Amino acid sequence: MQLFKRKSRAERINIILSKDPHIYDEHTLKGQKKWAKDFDWAFKDMAKNGTPDDLKDYLAFRFPFHCWQYNLKDMESTILDVKEIDVEMLSDKNIPPKIGQLVNLEHLHIYDYALSIPNEFEKLKNLKTLGLSFRGNFPEVICKLVRLEALQMRSNDFTNQPLNIDKLIQLKSLQLNNIGFNNFPASVTSLDNLNDLGLGRNNIKEIPADIGKLINLKKLRIDNNPLRKIPKEIQLLKKLEYLDVKQTKLTNEARVQLEKWLPNTEISYDDK
């Protein structure tokens, strides 16, 4: 390979993996194809000649699924010990079943949209934070990760409500923004430890009275929903510090009432 002749092998691989903008223009089809070709070369080279030691931690953090795909045997122990993974792309839009082996994993973020989640996902018993982009029905297997403290789902087409999310009793932050909900997910109101809830950019028309059960809530984002009123039970949220109701259909009367119910809460409207 003639690329980067003056660089060491490890440096060349690192340049490719980091998608150096001086070499790869990801805004052009030509640049994308060039990077895809070099990316394939880098992993095939590591499969044949071994993984540079100074890249192993980075590969386990950013590309563990590709390491499995290309059968990088010298990466196995590093990946099994990893506690945090931050994946930008999935090779085939699916999360591999082998992920169930990562029993030490505590933080997982996958930004590329997954089309399926294997049942082995439930074996990630030590997972504390999860950020996931997903297309399809809400993946109920997530609700078996009972140690989760923070969950962020990214989707545009969830058609079903999460039925068992109330099992995640340790959740402190739940972000379900812009995922296509038409109704407020009722099971959320059972999450007693929740202090940050995001349900913005959905199509929720009504907030249930049970919102008042979330007594530890400090931040609530319900912006960009066709809401016309908020139930009086919201005044039970004595710890609420911030409420986002931008781009809703709240009447002036409803706004005035909110101010009375929540005198110590910062309320964000379109004009504030």
Side-chain angles (χ1 to χ4, degrees), residues 83-85 105-109 126-131 147-152 171:
K83 291 187 176 181
E84 183 173 2
I85 288 177
L105 195 61
E106 296 180 358
H107 310 283
L108 174 61
H109 294 274
N126 288 308
L127 206 61
K128 295 179 180 179
T129 62
L130 174 61
R147 292 189 180 179
L148 270 185
E149 296 178 4
L151 173 61
Q152 179 179 10
L171 266 188

Side-chain angles (χ1 to χ4, degrees), residues 10 141 232:
V141 66
K232 63 181 180 180

Side-chain angles (χ1 to χ4, degrees), residues 115-250:
L115 297 178
S116 67
I117 298 178
N119 291 331
E120 288 81 358
F121 208 78
E122 68 178 87
K123 296 179 181 180
L124 304 180
K125 298 299 185 182
N126 288 308
L127 206 61
K128 295 179 180 179
T129 62
L130 174 61
L132 186 62
S133 301
F134 188 74
R135 297 195 187 282
N137 290 335
F138 187 91
E140 289 292 330
V141 66
I142 290 175
C143 299
K144 297 181 179 181
L145 306 176
V146 295
R147 292 189 180 179
L148 270 185
E149 296 178 4
L151 173 61
Q152 179 179 10
M153 296 297 295
R154 293 175 289 268
S155 177
N156 290 318
D157 57 0
F158 279 154
T159 56
N160 65 323
Q161 295 279 319
L163 300 177
N164 298 299
I165 207 166
D166 56 326
K167 305 297 183 184
L168 303 179
I169 58 175
Q170 295 191 38
L171 266 188
K172 296 179 180 178
S173 175
L174 177 60
Q175 305 302 317
L176 300 173
N177 301 289
N178 194 30
I179 58 177
F181 280 168
N182 290 315
N183 299 297
F184 190 101
S187 56
V188 167
T189 59
S190 297
L191 299 173
D192 296 340
N193 291 312
L194 206 60
N195 57 48
D196 189 344
L197 174 61
L199 286 165
R201 297 186 179 278
N202 284 292
N203 192 37
I204 298 171
K205 300 177 180 63
E206 184 176 355
I207 303 297
D210 278 352
I211 190 72
K213 294 165 61 177
L214 298 176
I215 57 174
N216 288 306
L217 206 60
K218 294 181 179 180
K219 296 180 181 179
L220 175 59
R221 298 172 182 84
I222 47 177
D223 58 290
N224 289 273
N225 282 288
L227 298 166
R228 294 189 179 277
K229 61 181 180 179
I230 305 292
K232 63 181 180 180
E233 285 78 9
I234 200 168
Q235 65 188 309
L236 299 176
L237 307 184
K238 303 299 184 181
K239 296 182 181 180
L240 195 63
E241 299 173 356
Y242 177 76
L243 173 62
D244 189 349
V245 290
K246 293 192 297 290
Q247 295 296 312
T248 59
K249 296 183 178 181
L250 291 181

